[in-house]
Amino acid sequence: MDSDGRDPFVSMMTAESKVNLNLSDFAPQSMLRVAEHSIARPKFPAIDFHNHIDGLEPSEVLRVMDACGIEQLVNITMKPGTEGLESLARLHAASPNRFSTIAWMDWRDLVEDNFVKRSVQRLEQCAAAGAIGMKIWKDLGLRLRDRDGSILRIDDSRLDPLFARAAELGVFIMFHTADPAAFFLATDALNERYEELSAHPDWSFYGSAFSREELLAQRNSVFTRHPATRFVAAHMGEQPEDLAALATMLEAHPNVQLDMSARVAELGRQPFTARRFFLRFPDRILFGADLLPEESMYRGHYRFFETDDEYFDYPSHASRQGRWQIYGLALPDTVLERIYRGNAMKLLASSR
Ligand SMILES: [Zn+2]
């Protein structure tokens, strides 16, 4: 490396060889010099409403939470059905006030008789043990098959008793339906998430039985049919690429809250539109990370919400989502308080 931090070998390459640079070797360093703010703790105590810590040591998670001003963390157990109660008990023993648990829908006996009846019973058991909700993952609509081999529809009316019972029990249903728009397109030179999909070919749903639009429409019809049931649509309702459409969904379904987990990359590349969205729906969005609890990860979120910093890295898994940088939203205090904590507190209070 020379004094510019650049590899002299790369700098000396001929114009011809630059044309043939592999995309995977392209790692441009921004020459932009603009203000950078590091925010150690959020302006208001925060609740991480979407994380997965089944496999982590609770004391280590609490250490990170303390360092980063995370007052509470909601663990979405990935152990199906009542098996998740083991995680719930372990977290409750570690700290009864700082962890909550969302159960995970158990589909393993889907094609057996009385599946829905047993699912309702499992939901009852989870709620009785203290689970605040149940998550239904994207395998519904994309992979789960009915007895006849067809893909099970999200709005299959046989599932209605489950959603109705959730309302009676006072627990919510969290839906992660479909996935980013680019995951439904061919993994080719036009795909904005080409590198991510190349690294994870199994994340592609190109050619799925139901289109992304159909999946979201099926999910929305469940929202419509169960107005008394509270729903959380994870990952900005899987429509962060189209916040105008997401606004229409929210207006139509007052029983739905969003969590913004794992979508900072999408929100931060459209800071003007995203900021207007947050100001328009301050009561409908929950802070969540969906990333391994680490100081730098949480602090990246605070920088995004609280500053007007420009062109910086978004928090992400090891594999990045797309080749772009993000911009801070500089949200006002009234919005920050609700996103970080207030909206989650309301949902938690009504789920216990
Ligand atoms: Zn998640």
Side-chain angles (χ1 to χ4, degrees), residues 50-52 76 78 104 135 137 174 176 234-235 259 261-262 289-291:
H50 188 136
N51 219 311
H52 304 278
I76 302 165
M78 295 176 79
W104 187 270
K135 175 154 173 190
W137 196 50
M174 177 182 272
H176 169 170
H235 313 312
D259 89 44
S261 67
D290 198 22
L291 291 167

Side-chain angles (χ1 to χ4, degrees), residues 5-192:
R6 302 174 76 183
D7 185 328
F9 173 73
V10 173
S11 306
M12 287 187 315
M13 289 196 313
T14 63
E16 195 182 339
S17 66
K18 282 178 188 170
V19 169
N20 294 319
L21 179 69
N22 286 328
L23 181 58
S24 58
D25 294 330
F26 184 53
Q29 298 173 354
S30 173
M31 296 295 104
L32 189 65
R33 293 292 170 261
V34 285
E36 292 180 24
H37 299 90
S38 102
I39 300 195
R41 302 173 69 82
K43 208 159 188 181
F44 302 92
I47 298 176
D48 179 352
F49 209 86
H50 188 136
N51 219 311
H52 304 278
I53 59 166
D54 280 350
L56 302 180
E57 179 54 50
S59 61
E60 172 56 17
V61 178
L62 284 166
R63 188 193 65 73
V64 174
M65 290 166 65
D66 288 341
C68 298
I70 301 290
E71 183 182 82
Q72 295 185 53
L73 182 147
V74 176
N75 179 43
I76 302 165
T77 180
M78 295 176 79
K79 297 173 189 167
T82 53
E83 285 177 23
L85 298 181
E86 182 193 325
S87 284
L88 183 151
R90 201 165 63 94
L91 291 174
H92 188 81
S95 178
N97 302 319
R98 300 189 62 193
F99 294 118
S100 301
T101 299
I102 296 174
W104 187 270
M105 177 75 179
D106 188 350
W107 296 102
R108 290 174 296 182
D109 52 346
L110 170 61
V111 296
E112 291 168 29
D113 289 341
N114 298 316
F115 166 73
V116 173
K117 192 176 167 204
R118 271 193 310 285
S119 296
V120 169
Q121 287 166 352
R122 289 193 285 253
L123 179 66
E124 290 167 350
Q125 285 171 279
C126 291
I132 58 172
M134 188 168 69
K135 175 154 173 190
I136 295 185
W137 196 50
K138 63 187 172 188
D139 48 355
L140 177 59
L142 284 167
R143 295 213 166 105
L144 295 170
R145 290 182 186 278
D146 211 339
R147 281 181 179 173
D148 64 2
S150 61
I151 297 280
L152 185 67
R153 290 179 64 91
I154 297 166
D155 59 357
D156 190 307
S157 60
R158 290 170 295 174
L159 298 172
D160 279 343
L162 187 68
F163 302 122
R165 188 70 182 124
E168 291 165 3
L169 294 168
V171 294
F172 59 83
I173 299 291
M174 177 182 272
F175 266 115
H176 169 170
T177 296
D179 247 350
F183 287 13
F184 289 79
L185 303 175
T187 304
D188 61 16
L190 298 179
N191 195 310
E192 66 175 359

Side-chain angles (χ1 to χ4, degrees), residues 32-38 303 307-312 326-328:
L32 189 65
R33 293 292 170 261
V34 285
E36 292 180 24
H37 299 90
S38 102
R303 188 181 183 196
T307 79
D308 60 2
D309 283 0
E310 298 163 295
Y311 202 74
F312 55 98
I326 61 161
Y327 304 81

